Amino acid sequence: MSSREAAIEAAILEHGFTAVPRDVDNKILKGAKYVNEPEPLRVKDIPIPSSPLIQKVQEYAKSNLPEQTYNHSLRVYYYGQAILRTQFPSWHVSPETYLLACLLHDIGTTPENLISTLLSFEFRGGFIALDLLYTTLHAPKPQAEAVAEAIIRHQDIGTTGTITMLGQILQFVTILDNMGGHAEMVHRETIESVVEEWPRKGWSGCFAATIRRENGLKPWAHTTALGEDEFPDGVLGNKLMEPYD
């Protein structure tokens, strides 16, 4: 193996580019509700990266995202780390890369970004993230690309083919926080701890309104693949998170 090939292989492993099935129910969970009995983890039990890159991206996210979206992004981080630790301990994704993806995955939904382009919000968000991380902040190219790919595909739900490990974890937890899916994979005490630290503040209504706004502006939006009414109605009908909204 050449040094270049070794470097590529290392980057694939480090930044969650490893391919995993898109089909969660049949190929990952194999018909079960969870892989292992979830453990009660609290926010204080889950380390969060604090590198200079993370600090800059946190500052960017906090200044550009509405409070509800920023809080959602941090909930996604903690739920994802809980799932990785208890359900998929053999899956390797750099915590820094994962946190970057969490912080930026909904950057395309801001009012300014929704109207700045004809692109669907996931694609716009992926391109913003790639430019911010690689061009502006000089993050390693594989890391920036991993984040962009995960953002672009974080609503690419299906049963055929594969997705990056980073992208699949992002899917798991956005479905959990937005619609109450995969609820059995995270302990109730974990949910309560995370929501206490990063409150929802009416997130279900906020995100459902954003979905409908994008679909109204862009009838071709990728979000419509999840159902023009089914998706926002599912977000509003999130029974798991209803007590915390």
Side-chain angles (χ1 to χ4, degrees):
M1 181 185 295
S2 69
S3 59
R4 182 177 182 277
E5 290 171 333
I8 291 172
E9 188 172 299
I12 288 170
L13 178 63
E14 177 70 8
H15 300 300
F17 265 114
T18 303
V20 296
R22 285 171 76 218
D23 189 343
V24 173
D25 292 336
N26 296 310
K27 293 187 177 180
I28 294 179
L29 295 179
K30 299 180 180 177
K33 295 294 185 182
Y34 50 77
V35 179
N36 302 302
E37 188 80 30
E39 302 171 19
L41 297 172
R42 302 186 64 79
V43 167
K44 64 181 178 62
D45 301 321
I46 300 171
I48 187 165
S50 59
S51 66
L53 176 62
I54 288 292
Q55 291 173 22
K56 291 173 184 176
V57 174
Q58 277 189 312
E59 182 179 339
Y60 174 88
K62 200 163 189 177
S63 63
N64 283 276
L65 294 172
E67 182 182 13
Q68 292 100 322
T69 310
Y70 183 76
N71 286 4
H72 163 67
S73 301
L74 270 296
R75 291 194 303 273
V76 164
Y77 172 78
Y78 283 102
Y79 294 146
Q81 287 298 322
I83 287 175
L84 283 168
R85 186 184 298 189
T86 65
Q87 304 300 312
F88 307 113
S90 66
W91 287 24
H92 180 81
V93 178
S94 158
E96 181 183 78
T97 304
Y98 178 58
L99 179 54
L100 292 171
C102 294
L103 288 169
L104 296 172
H105 82 279
D106 274 344
I107 195 67
T109 67
T110 67
E112 298 81 5
N113 287 332
L114 272 183
I115 63 173
S116 71
T117 179
L118 297 177
L119 289 168
S120 299
F121 89 84
E122 309 99 306
F123 294 85
R124 175 63 172 151
F127 299 152
I128 289 172
L130 184 62
D131 184 62
L132 173 69
L133 293 173
Y134 184 59
T135 305
T136 304
L137 300 178
H138 309 296
K141 188 178 181 184
Q143 183 177 48
E145 290 178 340
V147 171
E149 170 108 0
I151 292 171
I152 289 168
R153 296 190 64 188
H154 83 270
Q155 294 197 139
D156 182 22
I157 298 164
T159 58
T160 59
T162 59
I163 187 170
T164 68
M165 195 174 281
L166 176 62
Q168 185 61 272
I169 287 294
L170 198 58
Q171 279 193 12
F172 268 121
V173 288
T174 52
I175 291 170
L176 172 72
D177 201 50
N178 291 336
M179 301 185 74
H182 310 305
E184 296 83 3
M185 299 179 72
V186 179
H187 198 281
R188 173 68 70 170
E189 290 181 27
T190 302
I191 292 173
E192 290 173 351
S193 176
V194 171
V195 170
E196 182 179 2
E197 186 75 17
W198 302 103
R200 292 178 64 82
K201 297 192 173 185
W203 173 246
S204 293
C206 174
F207 187 51
T210 298
I211 295 166
R212 293 195 186 281
R213 182 164 188 241
E214 183 184 40
N215 290 349
L217 289 169
K218 307 167 190 176
W220 57 85
H222 181 255
T223 298
T224 62
L226 302 177
E228 293 179 59
D229 293 314
E230 293 88 344
F231 186 33
D233 288 348
V235 170
L236 287 173
N238 185 348
K239 297 301 181 185
L240 176 69
M241 299 298 179
E242 187 176 46
Y244 312 111
D245 251 337

